[in-house]
Amino acid sequence: MHNLRFRSLITFTSLWLIGRQRSSCVEEGTAIGDTKSQAWNNDWDQGNPMAAQVSEGQKSKASRHIIMVRHGHYKKSKTSGEQLTDLGRQQAKWTGKRLREWNISWDQVVVSTMTRAQQTSEIILKELNFDSRSVIHTDELREGAPYLADPPSKARRQKLEESIRRDGPRIEAAFRRYFYRAPPDQERESFLLIVCHSNVIRYVILRALQLPPEAWTRLSLNHGSITWLTVHPTGYVSLRFMGDSGFMPVQQLSSRCSRDSGLKPAKEIQNRC
């Protein structure tokens, strides 16, 4: 575990320094550099001990499906802390029903330890009839600032970089822990369900697809939305869909207060903090 975290820190630091240099170029109005596409690295997951080790002649035989859910709409208060709203609970129920319709046999469920993710997962798991005692709860998937963004954020640079140095290696460690090709002894496709947060999901999507991680702020996810990534035996990764929330009524869609779709919501859910 410690070796995995150390490697994650090294990987994140290298990526972050490159992203910082690119962001500086954007701020100064200069060219970022060579725009030619880089070759796909099939062996991107070799730092994970669970993955089939190509150097040792091992081969994967099955695909790993990683389905990620963003928590439902929530609010914070001084008296009760962070809690899902009625809207958030409705969204989680819709998400649970959608997942149940797929009739998937889940191999593993992993949930962020933040309250909004915990409450969302409880509602979803009731719909799935999944034993909550086998759920993995992890701090690595907690929300945070994963990476220096490009275009640069308007937030104060020093404070932002402090947040990224604090959260980035942790979120990178989560990526390296849960995203890898199937081990050689896995005979059938597997399904992992992750309930976590928007920033985390946006970052790991780009990392898994080997796209620039500094572009994570350009992606948007609704509350309760579903994202499906597949890691194939060859090491190829495909995004089946991202941020799917079409199974919810339009009036119950939300992302955050300042980014509403412009559609007029029902009266009871107009205040979407």
Side-chain angles (χ1 to χ4, degrees):
M1 181 181 296
H2 294 296
N3 288 337
L4 180 60
R5 289 179 177 175
F6 180 70
R7 287 194 293 267
S8 298
L9 177 59
I10 293 175
T11 301
F12 170 81
T13 302
S14 300
L15 289 169
W16 183 78
L17 289 173
I18 294 172
R20 193 165 188 260
Q21 183 180 23
R22 288 179 175 176
S23 182
S24 297
C25 289
V26 171
E27 289 178 341
E28 295 169 4
T30 57
I32 290 179
D34 186 8
T35 58
K36 293 181 180 179
S37 61
Q38 301 297 313
W40 177 269
N41 177 16
N42 288 318
D43 300 330
W44 55 273
D45 60 345
Q46 292 304 277
N48 191 305
M50 291 291 293
Q53 301 300 309
V54 177
S55 62
E56 299 174 12
Q58 298 178 348
K59 290 185 178 181
S60 289
K61 299 183 286 292
S63 295
R64 295 185 69 244
H65 301 282
I66 304 168
I67 293 86
M68 294 171 282
V69 172
R70 185 188 180 191
H71 59 79
H73 182 267
Y74 74 105
K75 65 178 180 180
K76 292 181 179 180
S77 69
K78 293 181 179 179
T79 55
S80 59
E82 175 186 302
Q83 301 289 329
L84 285 186
T85 61
D86 289 341
L87 173 60
R89 286 188 285 273
Q90 292 170 14
Q91 291 167 339
K93 194 171 183 66
W94 281 113
T95 304
K97 288 181 178 179
R98 182 63 160 183
L99 295 173
R100 185 183 65 200
E101 290 174 349
W102 292 342
N103 196 31
I104 289 174
S105 178
W106 299 99
D107 295 275
Q108 191 176 50
V109 176
V110 182
V111 182
S112 158
T113 53
M114 297 189 81
T115 301
R116 56 189 184 267
Q118 292 284 311
Q119 292 179 337
T120 299
S121 69
E122 289 171 4
I123 296 171
I124 289 175
L125 294 181
K126 286 180 182 178
E127 293 292 328
L128 298 180
N129 196 28
F130 188 89
D131 186 358
S132 60
R133 293 173 296 181
S134 60
V135 173
I136 296 174
H137 305 274
T138 176
D139 291 336
E140 286 183 339
L141 289 169
R142 293 173 69 90
E143 185 64 300
Y147 205 79
L148 192 65
D150 180 7
S153 171
K154 294 180 181 179
R156 188 161 61 88
R157 183 64 173 259
Q158 182 179 354
K159 183 177 180 181
L160 179 61
E161 290 189 357
E162 289 174 357
S163 299
I164 292 170
R165 283 193 291 268
R166 179 191 66 232
D167 301 330
R170 168 179 58 79
I171 298 173
E172 171 66 20
F175 168 73
R176 295 174 70 87
R177 185 177 305 281
Y178 297 110
F179 291 78
Y180 56 90
R181 78 189 82 181
D185 58 349
Q186 181 176 316
E187 299 292 337
R188 62 171 182 84
E189 61 181 358
S190 62
F191 294 86
L192 165 64
L193 176 62
I194 295 177
V195 182
C196 59
H197 309 271
S198 178
N199 292 358
V200 176
I201 296 172
R202 291 186 285 175
Y203 175 76
V204 299
I205 286 173
L206 294 172
R207 287 286 285 116
L209 296 177
Q210 298 185 26
L211 297 173
E214 60 266 30
W216 67 274
T217 55
R218 306 179 206 179
L219 308 180
S220 180
L221 301 170
N222 283 336
H223 291 121
S225 62
I226 303 173
T227 296
W228 186 323
L229 275 167
T230 299
V231 182
H232 300 274
T234 59
Y236 184 79
V237 180
S238 59
L239 179 62
R240 297 185 63 169
F241 49 80
M242 186 191 86
D244 178 26
S245 55
F247 49 87
M248 296 184 195
V250 171
Q251 294 82 4
Q252 294 184 5
L253 296 177
S254 66
S255 55
R256 65 187 210 182
C257 288
S258 61
R259 296 281 180 92
D260 280 342
S261 64
L263 297 171
K264 187 176 181 180
K267 291 182 179 179
E268 65 270 18
I269 58 171
Q270 281 184 343
N271 297 320
R272 301 175 173 181
C273 296

